[in-house]
Amino acid sequence: MRVDAHQHFWYYDKQKHTWIDDEMVLLRRNFLPTDLQAIYQRNGIDACVAVQADQSEAETDFLLEFAEEYDFIKGVVGWIDLRSEKIEEGLAYYAEYPKLKGFRHVVQDEPDPEFMLGKHFSEGLRLLSKYNFTYDILIFPHQLEAVIKTVQKFPKQKFVLDHIAKPHIKAGKINTWKKHIHELANTPNVYCKVSGMVTEADWQNWKQSDFEPYLDVIFEAFGTARIMYGSDWPVCLLGGEYAKVKNIVEKYLSKYPKEEYAKVFGENALNFYGL
C-alpha cells in the first residue's frame, strides 16, 4: 500500500486561515477528499494521513468525519490542548476513535523557542503514550535544540518530524540544521517525514538538485526504516502539481532497492501510525 503520510483538508475561511497570505492566493479555496481522491488515482497513492491545519478540537472532529466517510483516509493527526488541566479526559475521549492516530501543535508559530519544554506541554506529551497516540513535530530549524531535549525526555513516545524541520533550502543554509538533525536522529523513537520541502525552496524555480543535499542528510541520519513520504497537499501546490512534488522523493529513491522504496512510500507510515 502506497501512503501519503501528510496532507490537509479545509473549507477556506478568511478568519480561520490567516496564514494563507497574498502570496498563497491559490490556496484560498476549499480542498476536500473528493479533490485528493482524484489526484491519488492518477498518482498511484492508495491511502493517506490527514493532518490538522487549525488549532481546535473542532478541526480534529472535522477530519474524523471525513475519515469515517472516506476509506482512503486511514488516519488522522488532530489537535488537542496538551496544556489543558483536563488533557487526560480529552485523550481518553479521543482514544475511542480508531482512526485518530495522534496529535500536532503548530510549534513553529510559538515565539518561545523552548515551548515544547514547558511544564504543562510536557505533561501533555507524557500522557500521549498511555493512550497510544503519536506526536507530529512542526517546527523551524531554530527550535531543533529544544526538540532534541524534548524527545530525549520521552523515550517511549512515538515522534515524527514534519517537513524535515523546514530548513532554509532557498538560501542554501544547511550546516547548523544538519548537525541538529543528526543529534535528533540519535533518538530511535523519532521518525521523519520527507514532506513540505518545496515551500522552503524557490516556489517557481526550484530544481531537483536543490533538495539533494538535504535529502542526503535525512537519509543518512534516519535511514529508510524511519522515513515516510508526505506530500503536504494542498500547500505543496505552491511549488507545482502533485506529481511534480512527489517525483522529488521518487527520483531520490531511484538509487535505492525496491524494498527501501516500499518502506518510505508506505510501510513506515503503516507501522508508525498503526494504520
Side-chain angles (χ1 to χ4, degrees):
M1 181 181 287
R2 299 182 80 193
V3 180
D4 180 344
H6 198 105
Q7 52 75 215
H8 310 284
F9 299 117
W10 61 70
Y11 287 105
Y12 177 67
D13 182 294
K14 187 176 182 179
Q15 268 65 48
K16 183 190 292 186
H17 300 109
T18 54
W19 60 272
I20 302 178
D21 61 27
D22 291 343
E23 289 186 297
M24 305 180 185
V25 173
L26 69 85
L27 301 182
R28 288 178 174 169
R29 66 176 180 84
N30 300 340
F31 289 93
L32 304 173
T34 48
D35 303 317
L36 188 58
Q37 202 165 23
I39 291 169
Y40 282 169
Q41 287 170 353
R42 294 196 297 271
N43 287 275
I45 299 292
D46 304 301
C48 69
V49 176
V51 181
Q52 62 85 220
D54 180 55
Q55 303 209 109
S56 68
E57 289 187 20
E59 170 84 346
T60 306
D61 299 337
F62 164 73
L63 295 177
L64 285 171
E65 287 175 13
F66 277 150
E68 188 174 332
E69 184 176 354
Y70 296 91
D71 187 57
F72 78 95
I73 306 170
K74 298 298 184 186
V76 167
V77 174
W79 184 88
I80 194 169
D81 186 359
L82 291 171
R83 296 169 292 176
S84 170
E85 292 180 0
K86 297 182 177 180
I87 180 60
E88 187 149 20
E89 184 181 315
L91 293 176
Y93 169 79
Y94 280 119
E96 298 298 315
Y97 291 83
K99 281 195 172 181
L100 185 57
K101 302 303 180 180
F103 295 97
R104 183 176 84 154
H105 186 88
V106 185
V107 176
Q108 68 176 32
D109 288 345
E110 296 292 345
D112 180 3
E114 296 198 333
F115 173 85
M116 289 184 70
L117 292 167
K119 178 182 175 182
H120 298 298
F121 195 81
S122 291
E123 178 60 18
L125 284 177
R126 184 185 66 80
L127 289 168
L128 290 180
S129 60
K130 178 178 178 180
Y131 294 92
N132 200 32
F133 285 126
T134 63
Y135 183 79
D136 270 56
I137 302 167
L138 178 62
I139 57 162
F140 287 128
H142 74 276
Q143 297 164 311
L144 272 166
E145 288 185 81
V147 168
I148 292 164
K149 294 174 186 174
T150 299
V151 300
Q152 289 171 347
K153 286 171 59 179
F154 304 106
K156 294 182 180 179
Q157 174 60 44
K158 292 166 76 174
F159 292 98
V160 59
L161 180 66
D162 291 349
H163 313 330
I164 68 172
K166 296 194 166 187
H168 305 288
I169 296 173
K170 186 176 180 179
K173 294 181 180 179
I174 195 168
N175 293 335
T176 304
W177 170 85
K178 176 179 179 179
K179 173 179 174 288
H180 289 144
I181 286 293
H182 277 280
E183 289 178 30
L184 181 63
N186 284 335
T187 307
N189 53 313
V190 183
Y191 283 58
C192 184
K193 291 181 183 178
V194 281
S195 59
M197 295 183 294
V198 291
T199 46
E200 304 311 311
D202 183 333
W203 297 352
Q204 307 301 323
N205 302 299
W206 60 262
K207 308 177 295 298
Q208 178 75 20
S209 58
D210 295 337
F211 306 106
E212 297 279 336
Y214 298 90
L215 288 168
D216 285 344
V217 171
I218 294 299
F219 277 80
E220 181 183 323
F222 287 95
T224 54
R226 287 192 287 149
I227 294 172
M228 57 187 94
Y229 160 74
S231 67
D232 197 27
W233 182 92
V235 185
C236 68
L237 300 178
L238 295 169
E241 292 300 313
Y242 187 96
K244 186 179 179 183
V245 172
K246 178 170 71 81
N247 195 45
I248 296 168
V249 183
E250 288 195 315
K251 266 189 179 178
Y252 187 83
L253 281 168
S254 64
K255 59 192 175 189
Y256 283 81
K258 288 182 179 179
E259 294 80 9
E260 308 306 303
Y261 177 98
K263 289 177 185 176
V264 174
F265 268 91
E267 290 173 14
N268 295 337
L270 292 171
N271 294 334
F272 180 84
Y273 286 114
L275 303 182

